[in-house]
């Protein structure tokens, strides 16, 4: 049928010549022949379309037969595949049902999980609330419940370390009840336990009061060591007293008063005994007659053969080793306090400042220990008191130590009433200064009044003793001076030098105005005395030698004690020494080269050099040329005889000869100027010795001392 259709379409047409017409008549809906490569290829080759159509049809039939044969060949496999597909459909259907059921089950499980989650949250909240409630209840129970064993031990047990542990626990319950009583006042447990705790507290307070009073009474014995008992018993059980302070103030006051009464007497007895023992060891240093202006003739009494000998006269004005043996900060100060038994057995004697230092150290050491004990034992950090803990400690300490401090004051007063030892008094002042620093370092503020009262006793007496030295110097200056003077320094000079050096040593690092002012007054009076003695002599040369030797001795002692010219004391005497040496030089030149000095001074006053007499100039040069070597030798001999201190003698000789060179140089200058005006007759005037020649000869005397 297909072939017939084809035949009908293409029949009667020339396929080669009428191709364009065929293309034009292609039915609508058929493939585009021009664009079909297969048809285009067939038409191009000139193939018979009918034959080609039949070929195509045959190929389609063969393909159909081939497909049918293949189907028949695989029929069983297709049936098997169909069966498997149906089986899969059934399996998938079952899976669908299972998944649907699983989905519904998951929905149910999801609902169950949400329900469980809600239940879990509710239970968690309830658990937290119960834990919080349990903690609060446990805290309350722990805060109010006292173990029965502890109650029995508190009421009937022995006071010991175990008792202390139980009391601490009971005190915690009491403190808890006091803090939370308002917050939990409606709780029945609080209402029931409070009376029981009050009774237990009262019972414990009663036993603690008896225990502490019993231990305090042990301190009544003089043989007891209070510090050992304090550390081994009282501080170990200090919580007992803190408990009484906090829970039973009346019992605490009774314990405190009993302790104050016993310890006050304890310290008073010990310090009185120690003070009496120290007084037996005193070595007297100075008496009323030991002043710098003391005269040797006054040593004999009017009614006795001789004045009693003072046992330590060497230390009246010289400090020596007294500072190292008395001052607290000295490395060589020895033990902190004198042991009476050892000192008595060795028959040792001490100056008062050493005894005072020992007593003060004992007082400070005991006061420090006692104050620290009071702060720990009688001051409770939790107690509700109207005054602070430090004020309470001060009050207790004052009640205990006031009598002992008065013993120290009486000890010092007895010494000051009879002493004339300025160095000893000033040493005591320095001891108190160092004690004050030591107390400040230890942070013990309870002895300030003691230190102040001691200083108020010491300073007036020190001033009075120095006033006595000043008056003695004034008294010496009021005596009529001798016309014949001894050129050696008087005794007052060495005494003053040693006293001044000692006072300066003790004032180093303190710069106390009272000491400096008193020393300046004393220096003024000593200077006045030396001037008075020098002015009273008819021999000017001897007066100057006397002053120079005195000043030299003063400076020597000051230098030996390590003082330099930066000290006012040294610079003042150094200035006096230099002024006097210059006056001595002028005096020596006046004595040996007076003509030269007089000529130079008169000639320099002339307004015109021509007014100077050439004859006088020549005579002066002639006299100098004839005797200058002999006069220089005489000056050297005079200085050697006048000054025993070689260093000082050399210094003075240099000054004198230096002044001589100055005058002679001025003379040469006048000579040269005057001769220049008379050049023609220069040979008529005597030619003076050259300055260089004189200087060379002077150098020979450089090492005479």
């Amino acid at each position: 049928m297909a072939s017939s259709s084809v035949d009908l379409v293409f029949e009667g047409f020339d396929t080669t010549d009428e191709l364009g017409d065929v293309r034009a008549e292609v039915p609508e809906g058929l493939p585009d022949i021009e664009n079909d490569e297969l048809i285009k290829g067939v038409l191009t080759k000139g193939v018979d379309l009918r034959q080609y159509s039949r070929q195509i049809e045959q190929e389609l039939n063969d393909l159909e037969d081939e497909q049918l044969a293949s189907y028949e060949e695989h029929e069983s496999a297709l049936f098997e595949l169909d069966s498997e597909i149906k089986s899969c459909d059934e399996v998938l259907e079952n899976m669908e049902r299972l998944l649907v059921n699983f989905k519904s089950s998951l929905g149910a499980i999801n609902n169950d999980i949400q329900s469980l989650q809600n239940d879990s949250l509710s239970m968690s909240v309830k658990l937290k609330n119960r834990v919080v409630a349990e903690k609060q209840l446990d805290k309350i129970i722990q805060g109010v419940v006292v173990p029965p064993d502890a109650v029995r031990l508190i009421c009937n047990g022995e006071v010991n370390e175990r008792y202390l542990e139980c009391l601490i626990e009971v005190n915690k319950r009491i403190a808890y009840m006091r803090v939370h009583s308002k917050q939990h006042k409606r709780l029945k447990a609080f209402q029931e336990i409070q009376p029981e705790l009050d009774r237990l507290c009262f019972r414990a307070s009663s036993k603690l009061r008896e225990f502490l009073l019993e231990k305090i009474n042990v301190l009544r014995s003089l043989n007891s060591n209070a510090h050992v008992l304090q550390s081994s018993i009282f501080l170990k059980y200090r919580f007992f007293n803190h408990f009484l302070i906090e829970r039973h103030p009346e019992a605490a006051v009774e314990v405190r008063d009993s302790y104050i009464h016993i310890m006050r007497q304890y310290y008073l007895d010990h310090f009185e005994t120690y003070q009496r023992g120290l007084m037996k060891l005193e070595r007297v240093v100075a008496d009323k007659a030991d002043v710098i202006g003391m005269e040797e003739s006054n040593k004999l009494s009017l009614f006795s053969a001789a004045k009693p000998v003072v046992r330590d006269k060497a230390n009246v004005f010289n400090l020596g080793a007294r500072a190292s043996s008395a001052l607290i900060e000295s490395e060589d100060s020895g033990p902190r306090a004198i042991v009476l038994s050892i000192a008595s057995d060795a028959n040792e004697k001490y100056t008062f400042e050493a005894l005072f230092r020992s007593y003060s150290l004992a007082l400070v050491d005991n006061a420090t220990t006692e104050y620290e004990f009071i702060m720990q034992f009688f001051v409770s950090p939790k107690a509700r008191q109207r005054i602070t803990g430090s004020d309470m400690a001060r009050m207790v300490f004052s009640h205990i130590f006031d009598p002992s401090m008065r013993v120290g004051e009486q000890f010092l007063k007895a010494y000051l009433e009879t002493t004339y030892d300025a160095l000893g008094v000033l040493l005591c002042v320095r001891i108190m200064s160092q004690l004050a620093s030591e107390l400040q370092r230890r942070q013990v503020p309870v002895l300030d009044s003691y230190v102040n009262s001691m200083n108020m006793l010491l300073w007036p007496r020190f001033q009075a003793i120095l006033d006595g030295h000043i008056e003695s110097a004034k008294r010496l200056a009021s005596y009529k001076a001798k016309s014949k003077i001894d050129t050696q320094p008087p005794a007052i000079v060495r005494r003053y030098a040693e006293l001044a050096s000692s006072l300066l040593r003790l004032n180093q690092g303190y710069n106390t105005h009272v000491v400096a002012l008193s020393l300046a007054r004393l220096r003024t009076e000593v200077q006045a005395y030396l001037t008075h003695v020098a002015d009273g002599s008819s021999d000017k040369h001897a007066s100057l030698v006397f002053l120079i030797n005195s000043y030299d001795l003063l400076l020597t002692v000051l230098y030996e004690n390590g003082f330099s010219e930066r000290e006012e004391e040294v610079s003042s005497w150094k200035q006096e020494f230099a002024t006097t040496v210059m006056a001595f030089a002028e005096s020596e030149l006046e004595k040996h080269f007076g003509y030269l000095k007089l000529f130079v001074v008169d000639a320099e006053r002339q307004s015109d050099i021509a007014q100077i007499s050439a004859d006088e100039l020549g005579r002066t040069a002639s006299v100098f040329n004839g005797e200058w070597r002999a006069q220089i030798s005489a000056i050297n001999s005079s200085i050697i005889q006048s000054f025993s201190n070689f260093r000082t003698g050399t210094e003075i000789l240099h000054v004198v000869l230096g002044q001589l060179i100055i005058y002679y140089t001025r003379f040469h200058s006048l000579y040269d100027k005057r001769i220049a005006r008379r050049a023609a007759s220069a040979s008529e005037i005597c030619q003076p010795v050259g300055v260089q020649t004189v200087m060379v000869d002077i150098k020979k005397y450089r090492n005479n001392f």
Side-chain angles (χ1 to χ4, degrees), residues 88-108:
C88 285
D89 289 341
E90 293 176 358
V91 171
L92 290 175
E93 185 179 357
N94 291 332
M95 286 296 295
E96 183 180 6
R97 287 194 299 269
L98 288 174
L99 289 174
V100 171
N101 294 333
F102 183 70
K103 181 178 180 181
S104 62
S105 298
L106 284 179

Side-chain angles (χ1 to χ4, degrees), residues 551-617:
Y551 297 151
D552 180 57
L553 177 59
L554 283 168
L555 291 172
T556 300
V557 174
L558 290 171
Y559 287 142
E560 287 176 352
N561 282 274
F563 300 107
S564 65
E565 294 184 16
R566 290 179 296 180
E567 294 286 343
E568 182 183 356
E569 184 72 19
V570 178
S571 62
S572 176
W573 289 116
K574 184 69 175 178
Q575 183 178 358
E576 293 291 340
F577 176 79
T579 302
T580 307
V581 168
M582 186 58 66
F584 177 82
E586 294 292 337
S587 175
E588 285 295 296
L589 292 179
E590 183 73 28
K591 178 179 178 181
H592 296 279
F593 294 96
Y595 61 92
L596 176 67
K597 178 181 176 183
L598 180 61
F599 177 82
V600 169
V601 172
D602 291 341
E604 288 178 346
R605 291 175 181 172
Q606 302 297 328
S607 58
D608 185 5
I609 194 68
Q611 297 178 359
I612 300 176
S613 172
D615 295 337
E616 187 67 23
L617 186 66

Side-chain angles (χ1 to χ4, degrees), residues 120-409:
S120 176
L121 290 175
S122 177
M123 292 175 65
S124 177
V125 172
K126 292 179 180 179
L127 178 61
K128 289 181 179 178
N129 292 336
R130 288 185 179 183
V131 169
V132 172
E134 182 181 355
K135 288 183 179 179
Q136 292 181 351
L137 289 173
D138 182 67
K139 188 175 181 180
I140 293 174
I141 292 172
Q142 292 294 331
V144 299
V145 175
V146 181
D149 293 340
V151 174
R152 285 192 293 271
L153 182 62
I154 293 295
C155 294
N156 304 315
E158 182 182 356
V159 179
N160 50 26
E161 294 182 6
R162 175 60 183 160
Y163 193 95
L164 174 62
E165 295 174 0
C166 293
L167 185 65
I168 292 174
E169 293 300 322
V170 170
N171 189 59
K172 290 180 180 178
R173 272 57 171 185
I174 297 174
Y176 183 86
M177 292 286 293
R178 175 173 293 179
V179 172
H180 298 87
S181 59
K182 294 182 179 180
Q183 182 181 358
H184 304 302
K185 61 182 179 180
R186 296 183 180 179
L187 292 179
K188 189 174 181 180
F190 270 67
Q191 299 173 2
E192 292 179 352
I193 199 68
Q194 185 63 56
E196 299 299 328
L197 281 178
D198 291 340
R199 284 193 289 271
L200 187 62
C201 177
F202 182 79
R203 177 59 180 166
S205 299
S206 178
K207 290 180 70 66
L208 295 179
R209 170 187 167 277
E210 294 175 0
F211 174 80
L212 292 176
L213 290 177
E214 179 184 354
K215 297 301 180 183
I216 289 173
N217 285 329
V218 177
L219 298 172
R220 291 181 182 275
S221 174
L222 283 176
N223 296 326
S224 62
N225 191 323
H227 296 163
V228 173
L229 292 175
Q230 286 173 349
S231 59
S232 62
I233 296 178
F234 292 103
L235 290 181
K236 180 180 179 181
Y237 296 115
R238 60 179 174 270
F239 181 76
F240 291 163
N241 195 51
H242 293 177
F243 183 87
L244 291 180
I245 295 172
E246 298 170 16
R247 310 301 175 202
H248 203 298
E250 294 81 3
V253 171
E254 183 180 358
V255 170
R256 185 187 67 202
D257 291 345
S258 178
Y259 178 84
I260 290 174
H261 175 73
I262 292 175
M263 289 304 295
R264 177 171 55 194
Q265 192 62 40
Y266 173 86
Y267 282 117
L268 179 60
D269 292 341
H270 279 81
F271 277 109
E272 284 182 341
T273 302
Y274 190 60
Q275 180 258 340
R276 287 193 296 268
L278 290 176
M279 291 182 66
K280 297 177 182 178
L281 303 177
E282 183 181 1
R283 180 176 68 242
V284 178
V285 175
D287 56 20
K288 188 175 183 179
D290 290 313
V291 291
I292 63 170
M294 175 181 61
E295 295 181 280
E296 297 298 325
S297 59
N298 289 340
K299 286 187 176 181
L300 295 179
S301 173
L302 195 59
F303 300 101
S304 60
K307 189 177 106 175
V309 178
V310 178
R311 287 169 287 178
D312 200 13
K313 286 293 185 180
N315 289 329
V316 175
F317 307 107
N318 186 12
L319 186 61
R322 292 174 70 180
S324 61
S325 63
L327 298 184
I328 296 172
E329 296 176 353
S330 174
E331 295 180 357
D332 302 327
S333 58
R336 292 192 60 80
I338 297 173
V339 180
L340 293 179
S341 58
I342 297 176
S344 299
D345 294 341
N347 197 25
E348 294 181 354
K349 298 296 181 180
Y350 301 88
T351 55
F352 179 81
E353 66 270 10
L355 304 178
F356 181 71
R357 167 189 174 275
S358 182
Y359 183 91
S360 299
L361 279 175
L363 182 68
V364 168
D365 289 342
N366 282 275
T368 300
T369 303
E370 188 64 28
Y371 178 74
E372 292 175 350
F373 170 77
I374 292 171
M375 285 295 294
Q376 297 180 62
F377 190 75
F378 288 103
V379 177
S380 174
K382 299 180 181 180
R384 300 177 180 178
Q385 297 177 335
R386 290 175 295 179
I387 60 176
T388 62
S390 59
D391 291 339
M392 172 62 71
R394 287 172 180 268
M395 182 191 71
V396 175
F397 179 88
S398 177
H399 287 314
I400 294 174
F401 260 84
D402 277 351
S404 299
M405 289 189 288
R406 284 195 292 271
V407 171
E409 293 177 6

Side-chain angles (χ1 to χ4, degrees), residues 414-694:
Y415 165 73
L416 295 178
E417 288 175 356
T418 58
T419 188
Y420 293 89
D421 181 14
L423 299 182
V425 176
L426 188 56
L427 278 170
C428 292
V429 172
R430 299 310 180 215
I431 288 172
M432 295 312 302
S433 298
Q434 295 186 35
L435 283 178
S437 300
E438 179 68 14
L439 289 169
Q440 186 175 5
R441 185 187 66 82
R442 297 182 185 183
Q443 297 182 350
V444 178
V446 290
L447 287 180
D448 294 344
S449 60
Y450 174 76
V451 173
N452 293 334
S453 63
M454 290 300 194
N455 285 328
M456 291 179 66
L457 293 174
L458 288 165
W459 279 117
R461 185 55 186 167
F462 172 77
Q463 189 64 62
I465 295 174
L466 283 187
D467 288 344
H469 288 296
I470 293 171
E471 290 300 323
S472 68
K474 284 183 178 180
R475 188 166 52 252
L476 282 180
S478 65
Y479 296 156
K480 183 178 180 181
K482 299 178 181 179
S483 59
K484 186 177 181 180
I485 190 173
D486 185 0
T487 59
Q488 295 303 312
I492 187 176
V493 173
R494 174 165 289 279
R495 293 171 190 157
Y496 169 78
E498 292 179 349
L499 179 61
S501 299
S502 300
L503 293 178
L504 288 174
R505 283 179 58 188
L506 293 178
N507 205 36
Q508 285 180 326
Y510 297 94
N511 299 323
T512 308
H513 180 68
V514 174
V515 177
L517 183 61
S518 298
L519 193 56
R521 292 173 55 209
L522 187 59
R523 179 173 65 246
T524 301
E525 296 303 328
V526 172
Q527 176 63 50
Y529 165 73
L530 294 177
T531 303
H532 170 71
V533 174
D535 292 344
S537 174
S538 57
D539 188 347
K540 183 180 180 181
H541 172 81
S543 299
L544 293 174
V545 172
F546 165 77
L547 290 175
I548 292 174
N549 283 331
S550 298
Y551 297 151
D552 180 57
L553 177 59
L554 283 168
L555 291 172
T556 300
V557 174
L558 290 171
Y559 287 142
E560 287 176 352
N561 282 274
F563 300 107
S564 65
E565 294 184 16
R566 290 179 296 180
E567 294 286 343
E568 182 183 356
E569 184 72 19
V570 178
S571 62
S572 176
W573 289 116
K574 184 69 175 178
Q575 183 178 358
E576 293 291 340
F577 176 79
T579 302
T580 307
V581 168
M582 186 58 66
F584 177 82
E586 294 292 337
S587 175
E588 285 295 296
L589 292 179
E590 183 73 28
K591 178 179 178 181
H592 296 279
F593 294 96
Y595 61 92
L596 176 67
K597 178 181 176 183
L598 180 61
F599 177 82
V600 169
V601 172
D602 291 341
E604 288 178 346
R605 291 175 181 172
Q606 302 297 328
S607 58
D608 185 5
I609 194 68
Q611 297 178 359
I612 300 176
S613 172
D615 295 337
E616 187 67 23
L617 186 66
R619 283 195 298 271
T620 302
S622 176
V623 173
F624 184 85
N625 291 345
E627 63 181 24
W628 67 275
R629 281 192 175 90
Q631 293 299 330
I632 291 176
S633 177
I635 291 174
N636 179 60
S637 300
S638 174
I639 292 176
I640 290 176
Q641 295 174 4
S642 300
F643 305 104
S644 58
N645 188 326
F646 291 165
R647 178 187 58 79
T648 304
T650 301
E651 180 180 351
I652 295 173
L653 179 61
H654 289 170
V655 173
V656 174
L657 297 181
Q659 284 295 106
L660 173 61
I661 292 298
I662 291 173
Y663 278 113
Y664 193 60
T665 302
R666 290 158 64 185
F667 174 77
H668 250 278
S669 176
L670 293 171
Y671 180 86
D672 293 340
K673 292 177 181 178
R674 184 68 181 85
I675 295 305
R677 294 289 188 92
R678 296 182 57 184
S681 58
S683 58
E684 299 176 3
I685 302 176
C686 180
Q687 179 73 25
V689 179
V691 176
Q692 190 65 30
T693 303
V694 177

